[in-house]
Amino acid sequence: MTTTLALANQKGGVAKTTSVASIGAALAQAGQRVLLVDLDPQGSLTFSLGIDPEELEVSVAEVLLGKAVVRDALVTSEEGLDLLPATVALAEAEENLVTRTGREQRLKVALAKIADEYDWIVLDCPPALGVLTVGALSAADEVLIPLQAETLSHRGVGQLLDTIHDVRRFTNPDLVIRGVLATMYDGRTAHARNVLAAISETYGLEVIDPPIPKTIRFAEAPAIGRTILSTARSHKGAEAYRDVARVLMAGR
């Protein structure tokens, strides 16, 4: 059975793309068949996996507009992760989708054609609550919310939850909130611990354990088109993502 997992947060800079790539790599290392989907017009996930968006002729943009099928757009990273990549064309595609029939279901319909080939499909949502994010949430079985453990970082959680509520009401009633993943976490500070406690108390969301520690290694890995699980296999950050992957697999 395929599980489609969306990582969503309208706030940028919360390590969402890093988490998608690292969770995908951890799942693959655990023997799972994994497809990652880049839904950010900036193509950060695509670039971070060592693939130049400017060299691609077919991407998720063409798939969403019905100009290509998913299989025509798939690429494989050097780490062996399958990817449905994004290019700058996705920005224009998003504008066009606003007036297209079935825009919320286009990603789900496209992925359905290859879903049986994977155990996990992990969606990297853009840092906005627009058509692309709603489409991702409509296609997902579960949504995971990456969140930096700082006060300002969690102020938008309520808005995201409102969007998830609307998606459940109109396009995907079975969508499950898997929980919150704390990123760039410094457990030495009471502030970070208090923010996570506040998230749980205020919104009733599960906080996935362990939190992802703050480290420069996460910034270094994309520079060579890899994830931390490849560049620093025994680092505590890599181990944390492996633990998160185990939690996700156990919850299936």
Side-chain angles (χ1 to χ4, degrees):
M1 182 182 70
T2 306
T3 299
T4 301
L5 174 70
L7 272 72
N9 190 327
Q10 71 272 27
K11 187 180 186 305
V14 297
K16 177 172 51 60
T17 296
T18 295
S19 295
V20 170
S22 301
I23 288 172
L27 290 169
Q29 287 185 3
Q32 301 289 288
R33 300 170 298 165
V34 180
L35 171 65
L36 305 183
V37 180
D38 191 349
L39 291 168
D40 188 342
Q42 298 179 72
S44 297
L45 177 62
T46 301
F47 179 81
S48 69
L49 292 177
I51 297 162
D52 187 351
E54 295 184 4
E55 295 181 356
L56 298 173
E57 295 183 2
V58 183
S59 70
V60 68
E62 287 72 30
V63 172
L64 292 175
L65 292 175
K67 298 179 179 179
V69 296
V70 171
R71 205 176 301 279
D72 292 338
L74 293 182
V75 295
T76 302
S77 75
E78 292 185 8
E79 280 183 78
L81 290 168
D82 283 357
L83 171 70
L84 179 55
T87 68
V88 68
L90 186 55
E92 183 177 354
E94 182 175 23
E95 294 181 4
N96 291 335
L97 285 171
V98 172
T99 59
R100 296 291 184 95
T101 302
R103 57 187 177 272
E104 298 92 350
Q105 300 291 349
R106 286 182 173 235
L107 180 63
K108 181 176 182 177
V109 171
L111 292 175
K113 295 178 173 60
I114 60 167
D116 290 343
E117 300 174 22
Y118 298 98
D119 299 303
W120 291 86
I121 299 176
V122 187
L123 312 176
D124 185 17
C125 299
L129 297 178
V131 172
L132 295 174
T133 295
V134 171
L137 296 175
S138 298
D141 301 302
E142 302 178 354
V143 55
L144 180 64
I145 305 170
L147 184 74
Q148 188 176 2
E150 294 183 357
T151 300
L152 292 179
S153 296
H154 78 76
R155 292 185 64 189
V157 171
Q159 186 179 1
L160 175 58
L161 294 179
D162 287 342
T163 298
I164 292 172
H165 173 76
D166 288 342
V167 167
R168 282 172 166 169
R169 182 180 177 187
F170 295 109
T171 64
N172 186 4
D174 298 323
L175 179 63
V176 172
I177 302 176
R178 188 63 184 83
V180 170
L181 177 63
T183 61
M184 295 178 276
Y185 183 74
D186 186 351
R188 297 171 300 178
T189 68
H191 177 70
R193 297 192 298 271
N194 291 339
V195 167
L196 291 190
I199 286 290
S200 180
E201 294 171 4
T202 303
Y203 301 107
L205 299 175
E206 176 185 357
V207 177
I208 302 296
D209 191 59
I212 308 301
K214 188 174 184 177
T215 171
I216 190 62
R217 294 297 182 92
F218 288 124
E220 294 171 347
I224 57 175
R226 299 276 184 166
T227 70
I228 192 174
L229 280 82
S230 174
T231 61
R233 296 180 61 87
S234 61
H235 190 275
K236 61 182 180 180
E239 289 296 340
Y241 274 117
R242 290 191 186 95
D243 288 340
V244 169
R246 293 186 190 103
V247 171
L248 293 174
M249 288 187 290
R252 292 183 70 180

